[in-house]
Amino acid sequence: MYETGSGGTTIDVCAVTPEYAELDSSAWVGVAIALCANSVIPIALNAQKLAHKHNTQEDGKQTRPMTQLPLWWVGITTMIAGESLNFLAYGYAPASIVAPIGATSVFVNGIITTTVMKEPFTCRSGIGLVLIACGVVTLVTAIPPSGIELNSELLSRTILPSPRAWGYVLGVGIFVLSWRHFVVPKYKDKHVLVYLMLCSVISSVTVVACRAFMSISTDVLETGGLDQLASPVPFAALSLVIVTAIWSTFYLNKAMILYRNSEVVPVYFTSFTLASIGAGALVYRCVTSMLPRQRT
């Protein structure tokens, strides 16, 4: 719950109305966009991985900086296109729905790494992909939609000043600095999760900022409420999206240089989904939309 206005009106930004509501047409648009986006992203990731593979010497060192590799640029451009679609999906559906749909990328990646990258595919991998597909269907159909749309006024007056939002930002900052200083130097070559934890936590900031920016943008396009653009909130959110997206991509590429994509993508999906849903729960209180409400 958030308190807003002089009258002390209480608003739950993730309230569900009515109880056990089904996904509306707007949320299904977000689901469709997210499915398309997460089918494109693994193609981009494997193009980058292939570029790193061809650029790696026998001693493990890179021949040239990755920014000088044409295939890497093809991959990063395709990834930008896929992530742009993913960001658009956040304007139509909450993070608690969009983030789990990232499992689609794990499924597509499993096909690409086996057929194109020639990485081993085990029975356990096949079972995992089937379970992922079942999990996506369950999550999309079970999670109720948000009852209140985000806008510049709600964000600036109730959400951003909240101790939860500032606590989340502070927590991310402390975690990233501590993880880079104490964990990365010792364990980066030993476990795929080391770089991916940094990537996922930073990406959770991207998700939170993207949810705000795309919700405002979608509302402006649908209603013509250009007065929302007078607020610095959408522009600050867009800047945060760009900075954190580039930052997290750097660590994702670090992981792909050291490990196979059949390891990187599933682990990244898991850590990213947990971080994104956790961020949404803290900042937007989206998890409260899944709790049964008592009638008074």
Side-chain angles (χ1 to χ4, degrees):
M1 295 289 183
Y2 288 98
E3 196 171 273
T4 179
S6 58
T9 305
T10 302
I11 295 177
D12 185 345
V13 296
C14 290
V16 179
T17 305
E19 199 170 10
Y20 307 114
E22 296 181 355
L23 292 179
D24 57 20
S25 58
S26 177
W28 279 113
V29 170
V31 169
I33 294 173
L35 285 171
C36 292
N38 287 287
S39 298
V40 171
I41 290 172
I43 298 174
L45 290 174
N46 280 283
Q48 293 173 67
K49 175 62 179 179
L50 195 59
H52 293 313
K53 186 177 180 180
H54 291 163
N55 192 48
T56 303
Q57 302 176 16
E58 292 184 1
D59 59 1
K61 294 182 179 180
Q62 299 292 295
T63 305
R64 292 184 293 169
M66 60 185 178
T67 53
Q68 294 181 10
L69 305 174
L71 183 57
W72 183 85
W73 280 108
V74 171
I76 202 69
T77 302
T78 307
M79 188 172 179
I80 291 171
E83 290 292 0
S84 296
L85 286 174
N86 228 358
F87 294 162
L88 180 61
Y90 285 107
Y92 292 92
S96 55
I97 292 177
V98 176
I101 295 177
T104 307
S105 65
V106 181
F107 191 84
V108 176
N109 180 75
I111 297 172
I112 295 174
T113 54
T114 303
T115 58
V116 179
M117 305 296 288
K118 305 302 180 183
E119 295 181 5
F121 185 85
T122 63
C123 180
R124 185 176 64 177
S125 300
I127 294 173
L129 292 179
V130 172
L131 292 176
I132 284 170
C134 294
V136 171
V137 173
T138 302
L139 282 166
V140 170
T141 55
I143 295 178
S146 173
I148 296 177
E149 293 297 326
L150 299 177
N151 54 50
S152 295
E153 182 180 4
L154 183 62
L155 285 163
S156 61
R157 291 189 179 184
T158 63
I159 294 177
L160 293 180
S162 168
R164 281 175 168 260
W166 288 105
Y168 164 70
V169 173
L170 182 61
V172 167
I174 293 173
F175 174 83
V176 170
L177 291 175
S178 301
W179 194 266
R180 285 184 59 189
H181 182 74
F182 296 108
V183 179
V184 172
K186 290 184 178 180
Y187 302 104
K188 63 182 179 181
D189 298 323
K190 298 178 181 179
H191 202 289
V192 66
L193 190 60
V194 172
Y195 277 126
L196 295 182
M197 277 298 293
L198 278 175
C199 183
S200 298
V201 171
I202 295 169
S203 293
S204 72
V205 180
T206 311
V207 169
V208 168
C210 186
R211 172 65 174 151
F213 176 76
M214 292 310 305
S215 293
I216 294 171
S217 300
T218 302
D219 187 61
V220 169
L221 291 174
E222 291 180 350
T223 65
L226 297 177
D227 56 308
Q228 293 197 62
L229 299 180
S231 168
V233 171
F235 303 102
L238 179 60
S239 300
L240 199 57
V241 166
I242 294 172
V243 171
T244 54
I246 294 173
W247 195 8
S248 63
T249 300
F250 171 77
Y251 288 119
L252 182 59
N253 275 271
K254 287 282 190 181
M256 286 193 293
I257 290 172
L258 295 173
Y259 303 95
R260 296 178 307 187
N261 269 20
S262 56
E263 298 175 273
V264 171
V265 175
V267 174
Y268 174 57
F269 161 72
T270 304
S271 56
F272 167 73
T273 301
L274 291 173
S276 298
I277 293 178
L282 281 171
V283 179
Y284 299 131
R285 301 197 176 189
C286 289
V287 171
T288 60
S289 66
M290 291 181 275
L291 300 177
R293 284 174 165 72
Q294 296 180 350
R295 299 181 182 276
T296 55

